[in-house]
Amino acid sequence: MISFLILYWIFLKLDFFILINTLKNANFAWFFVALVFYYASIFLKSIRWKLLLNDAGIDIKLKDVSMIFYLSMFVNSIIPAKIGDLYRSYLLKQKTNDPISLSISTVFLERIFDLSTMIPILLIFAYISFEKGIPFEIIITLKYGILIIFALILITLIFLKINRYFVKNTEFKVVGNILSNFERGLRTLKISSIPKLLFISIISWITEGFTIYFIFFALGLNYGLIFPIFTDLSGSLLTAVPFTPSGLGVVEYALIFILNLKNIGITESSAVVVLYRLISYFSIIFFGTILNFWYDFNLKKYLK
């Protein structure tokens, strides 16, 4: 409901006839290129998750990792509160029989790598895009992002310090087992893996950033390379907001706000948002629905 209220407010004053004409005149060859880059970024993130799983001692094929990762994105697109992340660990348990709490630790580490690479990229690209005129709203957002990174790292270090004492003294063995497995997943991260994980994280986010870059091409908009990538990653960052599925409504508002900072009109901004969400939301729903049915139908075969 919140998502649709935000979307209704965004598009309230929009001339849909002009928007449809703008979309009809788009070069859909470039739209397809944008789609390819978006899905390439998903594949790169699947590779990163497999590396984290390997460090945690979970042995699984990349094909299966990619499918489970995509299904988690599908669930996150239809249900708020990042339920897809839990679903990812549930599917992994079906495949490998490893504890859910162990694989959840790899998802947690994944989020730390996401923020630790995305925020610096956004900061650099914001400076290049706006130079000394970086809007106040963007500065505040990035500052909070940096604080969240440090908070997550600090919480992780505190957890690793006190968890064993808590597990040793708790009367609730189930809770103790969950926390022990989560801690084991965090501790198995190899120092030698960190540079590789950071590199893949950076490449995956830059790759995803090209989605809006080529959408700009599709609509005949020329704003260089850096600003479209900055816009794309800003939208991706807001999908972390758990109030709506895949940040629906919140992302659209933010994208139009950012595009307006470069004096891109409401029609062109809305066209960018429509094409971006066709890729980053509706394609996930469409292909995810098909994959989910296929997975359920072949579940016994898949678990062999």
Side-chain angles (χ1 to χ4, degrees):
M1 176 62 75
I2 296 175
S3 301
F4 291 110
L5 287 174
I6 297 173
L7 291 173
Y8 174 77
W9 183 79
I10 290 171
F11 295 112
L12 186 61
K13 297 181 180 180
L14 185 64
D15 190 324
F16 282 94
F17 180 76
I18 298 176
L19 175 61
I20 291 171
N21 277 338
T22 302
L23 292 172
K24 283 172 62 177
N25 292 326
N27 185 331
F28 280 91
W30 287 119
F31 174 79
F32 177 75
V33 174
L35 180 72
V36 170
F37 269 84
Y38 184 79
Y39 277 82
S41 73
I42 294 175
F43 182 66
L44 288 169
K45 290 169 189 173
S46 299
I47 293 174
R48 182 186 60 179
W49 188 41
K50 178 169 170 41
L51 292 175
L52 288 166
L53 292 172
N54 288 346
D55 279 1
I58 300 175
D59 185 27
I60 182 172
K61 295 178 181 179
L62 179 58
K63 177 189 69 173
D64 297 323
V65 170
S66 300
M67 182 169 68
I68 292 172
F69 188 90
Y70 192 84
L71 284 173
S72 74
M73 292 183 65
F74 165 67
V75 172
N76 278 334
S77 295
I78 58 177
I79 302 175
K82 288 292 182 181
I83 298 300
D85 291 346
L86 293 174
Y87 186 61
R88 193 199 310 188
S89 294
Y90 167 74
L91 292 179
L92 191 67
K93 179 176 173 58
Q94 285 187 315
K95 181 65 180 176
T96 66
N97 205 34
D98 288 293
I100 288 177
S101 51
L102 177 61
S103 58
I104 280 291
S105 67
T106 66
V107 177
F108 179 79
L109 288 171
E110 185 184 84
R111 291 290 175 264
I112 293 178
F113 279 104
D114 277 338
L115 290 173
S116 298
T117 52
M118 183 188 287
I119 298 297
I121 293 171
L122 282 170
L123 187 60
I124 294 168
F125 282 21
Y127 181 79
I128 296 172
S129 296
F130 299 100
E131 297 180 351
K132 294 181 180 179
I134 301 177
F136 176 75
E137 293 85 353
I138 292 176
I139 293 174
I140 290 297
T141 301
L142 293 176
K143 282 183 177 179
Y144 277 114
I146 293 170
L147 288 175
I148 290 171
I149 293 172
F150 282 111
L152 285 175
I153 294 173
L154 181 61
I155 289 169
T156 302
L157 293 174
I158 293 172
F159 172 79
L160 292 174
K161 189 72 175 177
I162 68 173
N163 184 59
R164 288 185 180 179
Y165 175 82
F166 177 81
V167 170
K168 184 179 179 180
N169 291 277
T170 184
E171 297 179 358
F172 302 99
K173 298 302 179 184
V174 174
V175 175
N177 288 335
I178 291 173
L179 293 176
S180 293
N181 286 322
F182 187 82
E183 180 185 354
R184 179 159 65 94
L186 296 179
R187 289 189 181 276
T188 53
L189 176 64
K190 298 176 182 177
I191 300 298
S192 59
S193 298
I194 293 177
K196 188 186 301 182
L197 291 164
L198 286 171
F199 177 75
I200 294 175
S201 298
I202 292 169
I203 295 300
S204 66
W205 285 119
I206 296 296
T207 300
E208 181 177 328
F210 276 95
T211 304
I212 285 186
Y213 175 71
F214 287 111
I215 286 175
F216 273 34
F217 266 73
L219 295 170
L221 299 174
N222 184 13
Y223 286 85
L225 174 64
I226 299 301
F227 177 68
I229 294 178
F230 168 80
T231 304
D232 189 297
L233 297 188
S234 298
S236 297
L237 179 62
L238 288 171
T239 60
V241 178
F243 300 115
T244 63
S246 194
L248 192 64
V250 178
V251 170
E252 286 76 10
Y253 175 82
L255 289 179
I256 289 177
F257 174 81
I258 292 170
L259 293 171
N260 285 343
L261 294 175
K262 284 287 186 177
N263 297 317
I264 300 176
I266 183 64
T267 300
E268 290 79 9
S269 298
S270 300
V272 170
V273 169
V274 168
L275 294 181
Y276 176 71
R277 281 317 224 169
L278 280 175
I279 293 172
S280 66
Y281 184 77
F282 289 103
S283 78
I284 299 294
I285 297 290
F286 178 75
F287 293 121
T289 300
I290 295 172
L291 182 60
N292 193 55
F293 277 115
W294 180 89
Y295 177 84
D296 288 340
F297 183 75
N298 294 278
L299 183 59
K300 291 183 180 180
K301 180 181 177 181
Y302 180 72
L303 292 174
K304 289 182 180 179

